[in-house]
Amino acid sequence: MKISTQTLFGLSILGISISLSHAATISEKTVAKMPNGDNIKEYTLSNKNGMTVKILDVGAVIAQVIVPDHEAKLENVVLGFANPADYATLNKSNFGAVVGRYANRIAKGQFTINDKTYQLPINNGENSLHGGSPTFAQDLWQSKIVKSKQKDTAAVELKYLSPNGQNGFPGNLTTTLVYSLNDANELALHYTAKTDQDTVINLTNHSYFNLAGETSGSVEDQEVQLLASHFTRTDAASIPTGEITPVTDTPMDFRKMKPIGQNIRDQYDQLQNAKGYDHNWVLDNYKPNATQPALAAKAFDPKTKRTLEVYTTQPGIQFFSANGFNGTVIGTSGKAYRATDAFALETQHFPNSPNTPNFPSTLLKKGQTFNQTTIYKLGVK
């Protein structure tokens, strides 16, 4: 049913469908249950161009992004699970989820604030990855439909309280995330967070993209451009050495659009250590304290002509070629996922920043507000 935006914006009622200026729409329904019996809700955002985005309140997951190709064929271009309940129990690869408190790696799971050392779970060799679990990516967020300040835009707000001591992090951290979709095919993610103790924070969305469609196999022929002339070199355990390395004359040079597979098997220590791309690039367009997202990356599929542009206020982006997929995960359409079946473009601060003084700081002090925006813009070339 269609309901006036004046009467129902901000309510989370089963079965609501709200129309915005006869363009963007949003609907809500219960689709599964958490292990403890709580309902999992799905929000469907659609625009006038046929783009549809499905958001779950478990893990703040982007479950599907359905967009047309050059022949107007609609396909889902992100990887995930068919059963929404699986995001709470099986999502070890963080499909579509928000990861935190600290996305990416922290060496030996340790950092120090105000002369006190904190210990995180060790879940990636001898290091901590994505803040441990269960946390942001597997837990249920509070959610509600909200009115966007932007015209012709549908939006949903999700909120998560990470309690003091969760996975070893100090402070009660409250994170609010607003997903919004407009008629320019821009899916915007706006994060804010506050803490009652000094802590570290690094949040990102961990969507895996395949612009040819979720079931189409390897993305090695798809092209990527990263607006970055440097990357953070890592050791064999994917921990940054602290060196910010020029991409010139290396396989890490994506300053011009090139196929993902062009150099992925080159004899280069960084690629050999990670078994492909799994590195942080230092974004040339980053400006500290910027409120307007800057262009960070582009991607293109030559077969379907679909395009992706990524804009962010963050200083880095992790380009990941899904190196660890081995056929054990069955995806949304019943297909097993294998290495290079997708790519991720995770906007972020740099890995291990709390232990690397020359990297941009990830310290969030009591009374401060973390503020970050990322936009995924889909299109057709």
Side-chain angles (χ1 to χ4, degrees):
M1 61 181 174
K2 301 293 183 182
I3 301 177
S4 165
T5 60
Q6 283 77 17
T7 58
L8 283 180
F9 258 122
L11 298 181
S12 294
I13 300 175
L14 183 65
I16 288 178
S17 177
I18 296 177
S19 176
L20 304 173
S21 304
H22 307 290
T25 62
I26 184 167
S27 62
E28 169 193 341
K29 64 180 180 180
T30 297
V31 291
K33 290 186 179 295
M34 295 287 288
N36 66 358
D38 288 345
N39 289 332
I40 296 173
K41 287 181 284 189
E42 176 187 82
Y43 295 85
T44 301
L45 292 71
S46 302
N47 68 12
K48 67 179 183 181
N49 305 316
M51 181 174 173
T52 299
V53 178
K54 294 184 181 295
I55 305 293
L56 300 175
D57 58 2
V58 56
V61 161
I62 299 175
Q64 294 188 38
V65 176
I66 300 168
V67 287
D69 67 3
H70 67 297
E71 296 178 340
K73 180 181 179 182
L74 292 169
E75 287 179 300
N76 174 30
V77 296
V78 296
L79 276 56
F81 297 107
N83 181 2
D86 288 345
Y87 288 97
T89 58
L90 299 181
N91 201 11
K92 295 180 180 179
S93 296
N94 297 300
F95 290 103
V98 171
V99 289
R101 288 187 195 187
Y102 199 96
N104 219 306
R105 295 168 176 86
I106 293 182
K108 298 182 179 179
Q110 294 182 350
F111 60 90
T112 300
I113 299 177
N114 301 327
D115 298 323
K116 182 177 180 178
T117 298
Y118 296 89
Q119 180 65 57
L120 310 180
I122 302 302
N123 60 354
N124 185 246
E126 62 177 12
N127 305 307
S128 179
L129 176 64
H130 296 324
S133 64
T135 179
F136 290 63
Q138 295 86 25
D139 285 353
L140 197 66
W141 295 49
Q142 296 178 346
S143 59
K144 64 179 180 180
I145 295 171
V146 293
K147 185 174 182 178
S148 172
K149 296 179 181 179
Q150 309 299 321
K151 184 180 178 182
D152 297 340
T153 300
V156 58
E157 177 189 279
L158 299 107
K159 184 174 291 188
Y160 182 74
L161 171 62
S162 175
N164 178 42
Q166 184 181 44
N167 291 340
F169 288 95
N172 294 293
L173 181 78
T174 300
T175 299
T176 302
L177 168 60
V178 175
Y179 284 108
S180 61
L181 176 67
N182 63 20
D183 285 337
N185 282 9
E186 293 173 338
L187 175 62
L189 293 69
H190 181 64
Y191 306 78
T192 56
K194 293 184 178 182
T195 178
D196 60 4
Q197 294 183 45
D198 293 356
T199 191
V200 295
I201 184 171
N202 188 25
L203 302 179
T204 193
N205 178 274
H206 208 292
S207 287
Y208 291 93
F209 289 93
N210 186 326
L211 296 180
E214 177 258 341
T215 62
S216 64
S218 177
V219 297
E220 290 192 36
D221 290 336
Q222 294 180 30
E223 300 173 5
V224 164
Q225 180 182 13
L226 304 175
L227 280 73
S229 53
H230 295 78
F231 73 101
T232 50
R233 179 175 290 275
T234 60
D235 63 18
S238 294
I239 296 295
T241 63
E243 179 184 355
I244 296 177
T245 304
V247 300
T248 304
D249 297 326
T250 77
M252 317 301 276
D253 192 349
F254 282 88
R255 288 174 294 179
K256 294 182 179 179
M257 192 81 75
K258 72 176 182 181
I260 292 171
Q262 180 171 311
N263 300 115
I264 200 170
R265 293 176 181 83
D266 284 10
Q267 296 296 308
Y268 185 64
D269 66 325
Q270 296 294 287
L271 297 177
Q272 291 171 314
N273 289 342
K275 299 180 173 59
Y277 293 106
D278 188 11
H279 297 79
N280 171 71
W281 272 258
V282 178
L283 294 172
D284 292 340
N285 289 337
Y286 170 68
K287 295 181 180 179
N289 303 315
T291 58
Q292 293 299 315
L295 183 63
K298 296 181 180 181
F300 172 66
D301 175 44
K303 293 181 180 178
T304 64
K305 312 301 182 186
R306 289 191 182 96
T307 61
L308 170 66
E309 295 177 352
V310 182
Y311 299 79
T312 190
T313 56
Q314 293 275 58
I317 192 165
Q318 187 88 2
F319 173 48
F320 180 41
S321 51
N323 311 321
F325 291 175
N326 58 11
T328 58
V329 174
I330 306 301
T332 309
S333 301
K335 181 182 182 297
Y337 294 144
R338 301 188 183 279
T340 73
D341 275 1
F343 62 88
L345 292 167
E346 306 157 57
T347 59
Q348 59 177 12
H349 271 65
F350 304 167
N352 202 36
S353 289
N355 300 309
T356 315
N358 60 307
F359 287 177
S361 176
T362 54
L363 179 67
L364 180 66
K365 294 184 176 182
K366 178 182 177 180
Q368 292 181 333
T369 300
F370 172 85
N371 212 315
Q372 194 266 111
T373 301
T374 292
I375 296 172
Y376 299 118
K377 182 172 184 177
L378 281 298
V380 177
K381 187 173 181 180

